[in-house]
Amino acid sequence: MTIAIASDLSGFPLKKELVEHLKESGYTVLDFGIENENAPQPYFIQAPKVAKAIQEGKAEKGILVCGTGQGMAIVANKHKGIYACVVDDIFSAERSKIVNNANVITLGGWITAPFAGKQIVDAWLAMSFTQKMEFKKDFLTNAFAQVQAIEEENLK
């Protein structure tokens, strides 16, 4: 599996750790930067690079790292076919895939320790989209299909 990854300056140290971890785990990694701490670029420049790699079929999944993960998620979700979720722990990582079929996760470089970031990424990659929750209500049935329909109507 190929995973596209990028960060801004705030996420660079964690991104560097995640790239190494993913490669050691056998994944192909497309690292869209930043390349080092002396060449910063803002999150709104970095997120579209990962989105485009997924849209063009160059990567199956993406990981974005900024200060909190929030900015990257907002920008990534502006791109058709990208379903980005902010993940702060293993539970949110699992749910992002199981329930929301996230093909991109965002992490906060300021708030995520490297060991935790690796565990979060591993948990997300291990999950499959089932759209099942132990506490699921009827209104959540087929929620992802409804999100796709809204996207089709509003994102051209």
Side-chain angles (χ1 to χ4, degrees), residues 14 17-18 21 87-91 93 105 107-108 111-124:
L14 179 58
E17 294 269 348
L18 293 175
H21 175 69
V87 295
D88 296 320
D89 52 35
I90 291 171
F91 180 80
I105 57 169
L107 297 106
I111 58 174
T112 307
F115 81 90
K118 293 172 189 176
Q119 292 175 345
I120 289 167
V121 166
D122 289 346
W124 173 62

Side-chain angles (χ1 to χ4, degrees), residues 11-120:
F12 177 72
L14 179 58
K15 182 207 65 137
K16 200 164 121 180
E17 294 269 348
L18 293 175
V19 167
E20 185 177 311
H21 175 69
L22 290 165
K23 287 180 178 178
E24 288 173 358
S25 299
Y27 294 99
T28 301
V29 178
L30 298 177
D31 186 351
F32 289 101
I34 60 175
E35 293 180 22
N36 61 61
E37 294 173 284
N38 297 319
Q41 288 189 349
Y43 66 87
F44 53 83
I45 300 295
Q46 295 302 97
K49 295 176 184 179
V50 168
K52 186 175 179 182
I54 293 170
Q55 289 172 326
E56 293 176 350
K58 295 176 182 172
E60 289 83 13
K61 296 186 185 322
I63 299 171
L64 295 164
V65 190
C66 63
T68 63
Q70 304 294 335
M72 288 282 203
I74 290 167
V75 174
N77 280 320
K78 301 276 185 203
H79 296 82
K80 187 173 183 175
I82 303 301
Y83 309 106
C85 290
V86 178
V87 295
D88 296 320
D89 52 35
I90 291 171
F91 180 80
S92 61
E94 290 175 343
R95 296 296 154 198
S96 74
K97 185 63 182 165
I98 291 170
V99 179
N100 300 318
N101 201 22
N103 55 359
V104 175
I105 57 169
T106 67
L107 297 106
W110 291 333
I111 58 174
T112 307
F115 81 90
K118 293 172 189 176
Q119 292 175 345
I120 289 167

